[in-house]
Amino acid sequence: MHLSALLSLPASLAFLTFTLASASPHSYTEHLHLLPLPQSHLHAHFNFTATTPLSAYESSHFRYFPRSLAQILQHTRTKELHLRFTTGRWDDEAWGARPLDGTREGGTGVELWAWVDGEGSTTVAKERWSELVNSLSGLFCASLNFIDSTKTVRPVRTFEPEGHHGNAKGGLQLLHGMLPHEVVCTENLTPFLKLLPCKGKAGISTLLDGHKLFDATWQSMAIDVRPVCEGKAGEECVLEIQQSVSMALSIPRSMRERHDPIPRPARIEDVECDESKPWNGHDTCFPKALTGEPAWTLSKVFGHAAKGACDLERDDQAFDVTLEVPSDRPVNATGASELTFPSTTRRHYRLSASSSFDLSLPAHSTPLGQNSPPSPPLYATRQIAGHGQERGSMHTTLRNPHAHPLTLVYMETLPWYQRPYMHTLRLANGKQEKMYYTPALDRKRGTHLELVLTIPAESTATLTYDFEKAVLRYTEYPPDANRGFDVAPAVIRILANNESPQFAGSYVRTTSLLLSLPTPDFSMPYNVIILTSTVIALGFGSLFNLLTRSFVLAEEVPPSPLAGVVRRMRDLVKGLLGKNGDVAKDEESSEVKDGKTAEISRYMREETKGKANGIANGDADLRDRRARGSP
Amino acid sequence: MADEQASIALLLRDSPLHDSFRDESAFASQFESLQRRTTRAFKPAPSYHLTFSLFAGGSAPSSWDIETAAEQYINPLLQALSSISDFTVDTQVQLHASISPAIAGPTFDTPTITWTLLASDLSGFVNAAEWPLSPGIGSGSTINLILYVPHPRQTPLTLSGGGNSWIIPQWGGVQILNPASNTTSHLSAAHIEPVMLTFADQLMSLLGVPDSPPSLSLRIAALQRERTTSLILSASSTLGALVRLTRKLQSIAIPKTVAHSVELTISHLEQACTALSEGDYAAALTSAKVAEAEAEKAFFEPSMVGQVYFPEEHKFAVYVPLLGPMGVPLVMTLIKEARGLVGRRKGKVKVG
């Protein structure tokens, strides 16, 4: 059943099977497929395939297969591996079906799924999976080590092994993890290029440049390792690694020079005005929509021409670059030999080791109707609806534009802090055949939901369910907590149907979503400490001072050194300032002040003396009073 | 025999057993050359991963008959050394390997029409940034043996002092091969026979095998005894470090597995010493290897390293904002009162 699904792949994979048929042990092939897309975009698909016989793999003698990746796979007993790095969004409406029917792309961020030999135990498989993600994270400079048990699921119907595992298939366990928050950039491209035999120094891999690749509207890097057994007698199985980079870039944006990336408007003389608009005049111009194909050059789009060729054990009929344009479009190719094939829309070129290859296509106006791309099997979008920080609902729209019904598997992995209520799951305009559901456990695993749905012809199905948001502990929030948390994209796989065999095995992925959870005020610990310290200082301090302070007369206070310094400084400043005439006034006032204080102090001294005398002569006083007679 | 005594004296020189060894001064003259041998060699490890790599400066050669050559020349040597450690072998081919930009690079020498590499460039020749020489997964050290075939534009490549191979201490060895023709894409076993012999020689120096008695088995036996000594010393010093750590950080909890490993280490160390005194060197080596493995396991226990304990600085940082505003007036008043008390007592004494 699965083999038939594999065999019924659409015709666009024909060129891939050409290279697969010649998979001898220790081989390497590379290929670039260029396809102009509507709205001035260009789709470029780089494919690098290397094989090694399984006997050489097990005895660790490597030629074209990268040794660093092979060591990881051997150590963790991984039999089949699929790793994807994706950014951007593929515009279904404008560009049609996804390249290779979505089998060589992943969800936004990083997606990883592998068949691991768990020797019959789920704990052993989990340990090996965790070792695998940690080692891959080191190899690719990506934080894959965050794929822990909260992000790992075991899909049931969504993925099938692409390799031929023979009898060992029963013992393999499939594990899948996604990181939608991961940012993919040049530091992931460099280890990817290091795995290639020609290392980005010769052949089509020289076109891969971090600046242009990550400036594209959509790009996906994929690594697929699988065992292939041709079944021919006497030939052993090989282990094949397919590295592919798929990108959809905007031609005018990529053609901008690197030193001048700012987009500038064209001069008014070069702009064509739409004359059917009512306001069209000599000073008002509405630019006409661009029709037709713009002119582009391969070296300008990728930054430089392709240098040399990576020809390792290649046969004479192999070609490196395929350009898919209608036959009436003129193309200038330099530095490569063109191979003639009976196909009218494709041109094939074979690079030579000693020259650099460049393609240039002049502008071309296409007649209407020629440029409609093949339509995808399904249009899927997903949103989070609702308001507030307590609850929300997930809303998925699946539109089937074809004249026959579609059967598909819809898989979703939700984080544990998004708690769905499955009793609110509603499907409008579709039929739910089966449901595989694993509920979430707080901080241990997320929700795993797989639905087998049937959507009738030319209709739109809507899938909704409510969920509740959890409040996290304050250490579990990321540094930019108010941005929200990413929810992984949903993976949709089209199943074989009696009426639509041509879409079986295609994958469509929705976009990832941003979930805003209730965030606490992170400045509260600081506020509490400050408030407590202030209250204690004011309250305790004042009370303590009131209780323990002894009040003495001003002159009994020994002059503190600080007061002396302050007085000296003040006198100095006054002396400097008062040189111009205010001397007399100051002297007077200070005299008066001094006089007053002298008086007061004299009075106080007398009093104290009196008092002291009184104390000393207290007996005399008493005697006096007694003498006077007690009143 | 004398060399072996000298090398063991060198090992014991830095240990607490120093004083009980006699006649050390007799070997002092050989210490320098022996020191060089030990710094070149790898630290004793339970297993070694040998990686044979072919780095081509251009796009050829892209394959070599390393499987048959390794089987013929290296595997017998590894079998002879199997009592010392375990060995695994893997090979790889890398093309378009460019020389590191940090070094000067080969210069063209017109009289001899060759490209020469300066002696100062040898240590930086291996381009660690671009050449995939990541160490192997799992325990044990990796020994990298590299065969470099220069780019057709830079052939023939030789070293300025003559010769075409060198050892990088405690890392591996490099050899340069200038192929006869520029377009060979495959190096046959006959082609790489001299290469493998040099690799075997480099491997022996990297493992620290002594080079004096001409018989290989005698040298390996001497290496066994040296290994036993160094393993015993290393295991005991690890145990001592563990004890000192426990005493210093009083709040760390020691799990039962660590206690068990320490017991095993001590018993195996005793067994090794008794076996040495009886002359059973093979048993001594096995016991010493087990002792070393258990000591490492005890010291690097992951649950012990990640213990949660509050350092003193944390406590200070948390309590000062709360107790500071209370404590400061108290302390100031205390000082004032003390001063007042002293003053009053002095006054009383004066008056009285």
Side-chain angles (χ1 to χ4, degrees), chain A residues 26 56 59-64 66-68 71-72 75 131 135 139 194 196-199 201-202 309-313 528-529 532-534 536-537 540-541 544-545 548, chain B residues 51 59 62-64 66-67 70 89-98 128-138 142 144 186 321-322 325-327 329-330 333 337:
Chain A
H26 282 305
S59 55
S60 303
H61 295 285
F62 301 107
R63 205 184 292 177
Y64 304 128
R67 180 190 74 110
S68 33
Q71 263 181 345
I72 295 174
H75 192 76
E131 242 189 272
S135 321
L139 184 64
K194 264 213 229 174
L196 300 173
C198 285
K199 302 224 174 346
K201 304 243 174 92
C310 192
D311 49 357
L312 303 163
E313 295 181 31
V528 164
I529 291 178
T532 321
S533 312
T534 310
I536 290 178
F540 178 79
F544 182 76
N545 282 336
T548 59
Chain B
T51 305
S59 58
S62 58
S63 59
W64 54 339
I66 186 66
E67 294 183 45
V89 175
D90 53 271
T91 68
Q92 60 171 341
V93 176
Q94 300 289 344
L95 306 172
H96 297 282
S98 55
E130 285 205 11
W131 295 1
L133 288 164
S134 50
I137 299 183
T142 309
N144 287 295
H186 182 78
L322 295 175
M326 270 207 288
L330 281 174
T333 317
E337 281 301 311

Side-chain angles (χ1 to χ4, degrees), chain A residues 63-64 311-313, chain B residues 54-65 93-95 147-152 155 177-192:
Chain A
R63 205 184 292 177
Y64 304 128
D311 49 357
L312 303 163
E313 295 181 31
Chain B
L54 169 66
F55 281 96
S59 58
S62 58
S63 59
W64 54 339
D65 266 341
V93 176
Q94 300 289 344
L95 306 172
L147 177 65
Y148 185 77
V149 175
H151 197 278
T155 29
L177 177 70
N178 297 307
S181 76
N182 280 347
T183 51
T184 46
S185 67
H186 182 78
L187 291 175
S188 62
H191 230 115
I192 52 177

Side-chain angles (χ1 to χ4, degrees), chain A residues 414-567:
Chain A
L414 302 175
W416 64 265
Y417 36 83
Q418 186 181 10
R419 301 186 180 126
Y421 288 105
M422 283 296 126
H423 72 279
T424 57
L425 179 71
R426 307 264 177 272
L427 178 63
N429 275 349
K431 197 158 81 89
Q432 180 185 314
E433 314 270 342
K434 234 180 161 174
M435 174 164 156
Y436 304 89
Y437 172 63
T438 310
L441 285 174
D442 272 7
R443 295 181 181 84
K444 285 212 185 60
R445 64 161 196 241
T447 312
H448 167 224
L449 175 67
E450 257 179 280
L451 299 166
V452 182
L453 310 170
T454 310
I455 304 180
E458 282 168 3
S459 56
T460 308
T462 314
L463 183 72
T464 49
Y465 58 87
D466 295 339
F467 62 83
E468 190 187 64
K469 303 183 198 178
V471 179
L472 303 179
R473 296 178 186 154
Y474 92 106
T475 45
E476 288 171 347
Y477 287 94
D480 54 346
N482 282 300
R483 175 187 178 269
F485 291 78
D486 291 87
V487 178
V491 183
I492 299 170
R493 176 187 179 209
I494 316 289
L495 293 175
N497 207 349
N498 290 337
E499 291 124 30
S500 61
Q502 81 267 28
F503 290 128
S506 318
Y507 285 88
V508 175
R509 282 174 175 84
T510 63
T511 52
S512 60
L513 297 171
L514 207 58
L515 175 73
S516 63
L517 289 183
T519 33
D521 180 2
F522 289 105
S523 61
M524 279 320 287
Y526 161 78
N527 291 343
V528 164
I529 291 178
I530 291 298
L531 198 65
T532 321
S533 312
T534 310
V535 163
I536 290 178
L538 290 178
F540 178 79
S542 343
L543 206 62
F544 182 76
N545 282 336
L546 277 175
L547 290 174
T548 59
R549 192 174 290 156
S550 56
F551 290 94
V552 294
L553 302 170
E555 50 202 4
E556 282 184 24
V557 178
S560 77
L562 190 62
V565 168
V566 167
R567 199 180 305 126

